[in-house]
Amino acid sequence: MCGSVRADDEGSAVVLAGWVSRKRDHGGVVFLDLRDREGSVQVVAHPEDAPGPHAVASEVKPESVVRVEGRVRRRPEGTVNPALPTGEVEVAAIAIEVLTESETPPFPVEDGVDVEEVLRLRYRYLDLRRPEMTEVMRLRHRVVGAMRRFFDERGFVDVETPMLTKSTPEGARDYLVPSRLQPGKVYALPQSPQMFKQLLMVAGFDRYYQIVRCLRDEDLRADRHWEFTQLDMEMSFPTERDVQDLIEAMFVRVWRELLEVELTTPFPRLTYEESMARYGSDKPDARYGMELADLTEAFRGSGLRAFAHVVENGGLVKGFAAPGAAGWSRKDLDALVQEATSRGAAGLVWLAYQRSDVKSPVISHLSPDELGAVASATGAGDGDLVLLVADQPSRVAVALDGLRRLMASRLGLIPQGQWSFLWVTDMPLFDWGEEDHAWVPNHHPFTAPASDDLNPETAKARAYDITLNGFELGSGSIRIHRAEVQRKMFDLLGLTPEQAEEKFGFLIRAFRYGVPPHGGIAVGVDRIVMLLAGTDNIRDVIAFPKTASGVEPLTGAPSEPSQEQLDMLRMRFR
Ligand code: ASP
């Protein structure tokens, strides 16, 4: 390979093929940098020693594919390039053949290019040819390989599950595929293999895993894609701890193989309640402080009417102290208020602690007791900025979580190179679905309740999430394995027995034939690779991704079906 020629190869005859990444003409001598996936090497064509190759090299255009025969030699004194793995050597060309010519590419095929992402996606094959992108794809390959070996060694069986199937609810919209053979009917693309892996447990497989594509039609975020890959696993007769220990061991293995980093286990655990209380998030970033303080009681009956009012109505007053931000300009502070309101909070109150003075737009409404309570609960001292939000609990959480992350990044408080894995446990069984105006499963409807308590407001689930540096990597649970509990669950979710039968009859039927207690988890492969690669854009770790508007710039998908296709499916668009 071009990128693997070394000083040891001195004197060897080589045949290399690759892309011309750069060309320089130094007073008659032509230098080509020849690149393949392993790196690049310098090829030299001398006009007198090698007039044929020199003529070809003089004409060849960048990104053309060439085949070079030559001899490896050490670079002359003073021309060694220590930054390149091949930097000690060059290849003196004996013959050069252009295999295919390239037009001028729409952007330079090199690292660190500043090009619009759509253009990169349109010419993804050129983008992936860039060394940093090749590197990410190979990192991804190695992550998946390490995971496979890990599960293989522990007796897990890889079983593929259908892509054209029935809806598997994971809280997103389904992608539907009309059936030609069953006109008027549709398949759903799987949001996950959830029900199939449970059926595999009924089938006695005991330990299953799959690295599987899942599809969810939902709002995109920087760390989310519609078509994503998860490591999906399920086992029979486990406790929560069994599943968690196994996943920890897998992460230890992946981090060791990929980064030569030894992770410490067991990973810390937080209950959902504690996580929400301390961080306002179920995927807390625990690499820095600024934990949330609860000031609700301190503001009961406050002269600050807005706060008193929220407290009277069962809301919360919470906040945190951002170290060293007391001197922020009015413009920066206004931007923080803006951030809080854009996250749905009614407003934001800030207090700047400068020497023994406290500045705040609401200072005249605050009593010394309240100020004292704020300082002691948040730990605010000289130079700190306290941010307070008063609202309904969920809005307080969303706003403060966002502000905490924002402040951490603006204040440079996020330590680099730290891997803060965390389990969030004792999740609620249900969430109130604002859109559905109904209780929806916090995880999915197959998750076992932690006790007999099935009251949607208080019930807890045998569910757990794994998070890393403030990102959710995966969720899992111990499942319901008794038909009557599963029926009760569907009932609580507002499904009539007929609807439950229509949607999940096959699962309930399976539950009549001997079900082992079982549980599992799925972790997002794209997101893991994203964090390992140090990017915050999930599209960077997917070979052929779509844009936020659902377009695949490379192929132009989605496209209009032909009339013939529609006729075959007996469909028409309104
Ligand atoms: N099916 C779940 C998901 O895809 C994971 C699990 O419960 O195992 O999120």
Side-chain angles (χ1 to χ4, degrees):
M1 305 296 285
C2 304
S4 40
V5 184
R6 294 288 181 274
D8 283 353
D9 299 312
E10 187 184 358
S12 308
V14 289
V15 178
L16 302 172
W19 287 258
V20 175
S21 71
R22 216 174 283 154
K23 184 170 107 177
R24 278 152 296 148
D25 196 332
H26 281 187
V29 183
V30 176
F31 294 90
L32 299 182
D33 285 343
L34 198 60
R35 176 197 343 100
D36 63 19
R37 65 175 215 190
E38 301 300 330
S40 62
V41 67
Q42 172 165 294
V43 173
V44 190
H46 197 278
E48 279 138 40
D49 303 349
H54 178 264
V56 178
S58 306
E59 295 297 315
V60 71
K61 293 224 197 95
E63 296 312 318
S64 298
V65 179
V66 301
R67 178 180 185 277
V68 174
E69 278 174 46
R71 194 165 292 280
V72 180
R73 66 184 187 207
R74 280 181 184 270
R75 290 195 191 189
E77 199 80 30
T79 64
V80 166
N81 180 355
L84 262 190
T86 61
E88 284 179 277
V89 293
E90 58 189 16
V91 174
I94 297 165
I96 300 182
E97 182 189 353
V98 177
L99 300 178
T100 54
E101 290 209 34
S102 174
E103 290 181 14
T104 305
F107 51 84
V109 180
E110 61 192 30
D111 286 350
V113 285
D114 182 17
V115 203
E116 250 191 280
E117 195 184 17
V118 186
L119 191 67
R120 285 175 52 204
L121 295 181
R122 179 134 184 237
Y123 295 93
R124 191 59 155 177
Y125 40 87
L126 295 177
D127 191 39
L128 291 173
R129 201 185 279 171
R130 299 187 307 113
E132 60 188 10
M133 289 301 287
T134 310
E135 189 69 33
V136 171
M137 289 304 132
R138 294 180 74 180
L139 171 76
R140 186 178 176 121
H141 164 78
R142 286 164 57 218
V143 169
V144 169
M147 288 175 167
R148 282 194 189 290
R149 284 190 296 279
F150 177 86
F151 282 101
D152 275 356
E153 285 164 14
R154 282 160 185 77
F156 283 75
V157 180
D158 179 353
V159 182
E160 286 175 286
T161 50
M163 291 304 281
L164 295 174
T165 181
K166 213 161 161 136
S167 179
T168 318
E170 296 281 358
R173 268 172 237 106
D174 282 327
Y175 282 102
L176 300 177
V177 181
S179 162
R180 177 179 60 85
L181 296 173
Q182 305 285 326
K185 295 192 175 164
V186 294
Y187 300 98
L189 298 178
Q191 291 186 35
S192 86
Q194 183 60 35
M195 288 187 278
F196 289 103
K197 66 176 172 175
Q198 293 191 238
L199 294 175
L200 288 169
M201 294 304 107
V202 181
F205 275 79
D206 197 84
R207 291 166 172 228
Y208 140 95
Y209 86 104
Q210 189 182 183
I211 293 179
V212 62
R213 201 70 69 81
C214 300
L215 296 110
R216 299 183 191 178
D217 188 357
E218 58 191 342
D219 295 338
L220 281 206
R221 293 190 308 233
D223 64 341
R224 200 194 245 174
H225 203 62
W226 299 293
E227 219 182 307
F228 60 95
T229 305
Q230 66 185 28
L231 165 90
D232 194 60
M233 63 80 83
E234 193 78 5
M235 57 202 294
S236 292
F237 314 109
T239 62
E240 286 87 332
R241 195 71 199 210
D242 292 330
V243 177
Q244 294 166 3
D245 285 350
L246 195 80
I247 291 299
E248 286 188 2
M250 179 198 80
F251 279 116
V252 167
R253 170 75 164 265
V254 171
W255 256 245
R256 185 183 296 148
E257 278 193 23
L258 277 284
L259 302 178
E260 291 173 25
V261 165
E262 278 308 311
L263 298 176
T264 312
T265 57
F267 297 161
R269 283 163 167 74
L270 273 183
T271 65
Y272 173 84
E273 230 169 80
E274 199 183 347
S275 178
M276 292 306 291
R278 286 169 56 188
Y279 302 100
S281 168
D282 58 3
K283 37 181 184 293
D285 194 336
R287 287 175 299 171
Y288 46 86
M290 298 196 291
E291 291 191 19
L292 311 186
D294 190 340
L295 288 150
T296 311
E297 285 316 312
F299 283 100
R300 192 176 287 285
S302 171
L304 183 56
R305 286 307 304 151
F307 277 22
H309 189 70
V310 165
V311 178
E312 271 159 39
N313 289 299
L316 296 178
V317 181
K318 293 183 73 170
F320 66 91
W328 277 25
S329 70
R330 198 52 198 243
K331 189 165 147 249
D332 284 335
L333 295 169
D334 288 347
L336 291 180
V337 177
Q338 181 64 40
E339 172 74 16
T341 50
S342 75
R343 290 177 157 264
L348 172 75
V349 164
W350 54 260
L351 295 94
Y353 286 72
Q354 274 170 320
R355 275 164 241 112
S356 49
D357 194 23
V358 185
K359 280 208 187 60
S360 172
V362 299
I363 195 74
S364 62
H365 303 285
L366 299 176
S367 70
D369 278 356
E370 286 166 348
L371 283 174
V374 169
S376 76
T378 60
D382 186 26
D384 297 347
L385 179 73
V386 168
L387 303 177
L388 297 178
V389 173
D391 210 319
Q392 291 313 307
S394 60
R395 293 220 192 105
V396 170
V398 170
L400 288 176
D401 172 38
L403 287 167
R404 189 176 164 267
R405 289 175 197 259
L406 182 85
M407 295 309 278
S409 126
R410 293 264 319 255
L411 296 170
L413 299 178
I414 307 175
Q416 296 308 304
Q418 194 171 313
W419 303 104
S420 168
F421 283 90
L422 222 144
W423 287 103
V424 180
T425 65
D426 302 85
M427 314 294 284
L429 191 56
F430 299 98
D431 286 330
W432 180 251
E434 295 289 349
E435 276 177 34
D436 310 75
H437 299 290
W439 291 103
V440 295
N442 173 280
H443 188 35
H444 50 54
F446 316 108
T447 298
S451 71
D452 292 339
D453 174 16
L454 290 181
N455 174 353
E457 307 213 11
T458 52
K460 294 260 183 297
R462 295 183 69 184
Y464 32 81
D465 281 2
I466 177 116
T467 72
L468 170 57
N469 292 354
F471 288 89
E472 181 193 313
L473 289 188
S475 313
S477 61
I478 301 299
R479 325 299 184 186
I480 295 169
H481 67 277
R482 288 185 205 282
E484 70 276 10
V485 181
Q486 189 62 71
R487 261 195 231 103
K488 182 93 214 282
M489 189 64 168
F490 291 144
D491 182 43
L492 285 165
L493 293 170
L495 294 182
T496 63
E498 294 72 36
Q499 288 168 327
E501 174 60 30
E502 198 277 314
K503 290 187 170 170
F504 307 114
F506 63 99
L507 188 76
I508 297 190
R509 204 166 313 125
F511 278 19
R512 299 208 302 251
Y513 297 99
V515 184
H518 56 287
I521 193 168
V523 300
V525 171
D526 311 275
R527 217 170 272 171
I528 293 171
V529 178
M530 184 181 118
L531 293 169
L532 284 170
T535 165
D536 50 16
N537 177 359
I538 202 158
R539 291 183 294 274
D540 278 346
V541 304
I542 299 174
F544 300 106
K546 293 168 186 52
T547 62
S549 56
V551 173
E552 195 178 74
L554 176 77
T555 63
S559 51
E560 282 166 21
S562 69
Q563 192 55 49
E564 199 188 340
Q565 287 172 316
L566 286 175
D567 289 347
M568 209 148 56
L569 297 166
R570 305 207 205 164
M571 277 181 62
R572 70 191 155 84
F573 286 126
R574 280 201 305 199

